[in-house]
């Protein structure tokens, strides 16, 4: 199945779930909520919810991507991020989306493109 939103056919569905990421730099692991996008029962993309300004430093992109791919092999992996410029006040920051590449690098992606992938 292709990852291009323009050609994903079939009955599309979004569901919530979670992943657990081991955080070697800190104690224990962290659970992140995710949204899965599927067509005819096959997940093709996963969006990791942002940690928020209170969570501090985000986990390594490679660790996040690995946790997703361990559960859903071959999917595109996205992360919702925030500018976090106003500390703990969620009304004062803007969100944006990145795609997690195989190297763990976070690559900017157009909001409209992400929206198209996660539209039921």
């Amino acid at each position: 199945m292709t990852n291009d939103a323009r050609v994903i056919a079939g009955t599309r569905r979004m569901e919530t779930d979670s992943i657990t990421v081991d955080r070697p730099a800190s104690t224990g692991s962290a659970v992140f909520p995710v949204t899965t996008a599927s067509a005819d029962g096959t997940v093709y993309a996963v969006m990791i919810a942002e940690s928020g300004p209170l969570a501090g430093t985000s986990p390594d992109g490679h660790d996040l991507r690995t946790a997703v791919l361990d559960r859903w092999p071959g999917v595109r992996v996205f992360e919702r991020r925030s500018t976090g410029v106003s500390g703990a006040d969620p009304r004062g920051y803007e969100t944006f989306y990145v795609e997690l590449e195989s190297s763990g690098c976070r690559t900017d992606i157009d909001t409209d493109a992400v929206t198209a992938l996660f539209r039921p």
Side-chain angles (χ1 to χ4, degrees):
M1 173 179 295
T2 181
N3 289 323
D4 188 335
R6 292 169 293 176
V7 295
I8 294 173
T11 304
R12 293 174 64 171
R13 183 180 175 119
M14 291 186 356
E15 297 182 304
T16 58
D17 210 315
S18 64
I19 57 168
T20 301
V21 178
D22 292 324
R23 298 181 78 173
S26 65
T27 58
S29 56
V31 176
F32 290 87
V34 298
T35 299
T36 62
S38 63
D40 293 334
T42 300
V43 174
Y44 60 83
V46 173
M47 175 66 68
I48 303 165
E50 65 185 288
S51 305
L54 290 177
T57 307
S58 294
D60 178 75
H62 178 73
D63 294 342
L64 285 171
R65 180 177 162 80
T66 299
V68 168
L69 293 178
D70 283 349
R71 183 107 180 260
W72 298 283
V75 301
R76 287 181 74 180
V77 183
F78 301 93
E79 182 183 18
R80 184 175 184 227
R81 307 281 303 225
S82 70
T83 58
V85 294
S86 65
D89 184 357
R91 295 170 295 172
Y93 67 84
E94 293 183 33
T95 59
F96 61 98
Y97 300 95
V98 294
E99 185 164 6
L100 294 175
E101 303 294 335
S102 59
S103 65
C105 291
R106 290 170 166 95
T107 304
D108 290 335
I109 186 162
D110 180 68
T111 300
D112 291 338
V114 173
T115 301
L117 286 168
F118 287 87
R119 183 177 300 130

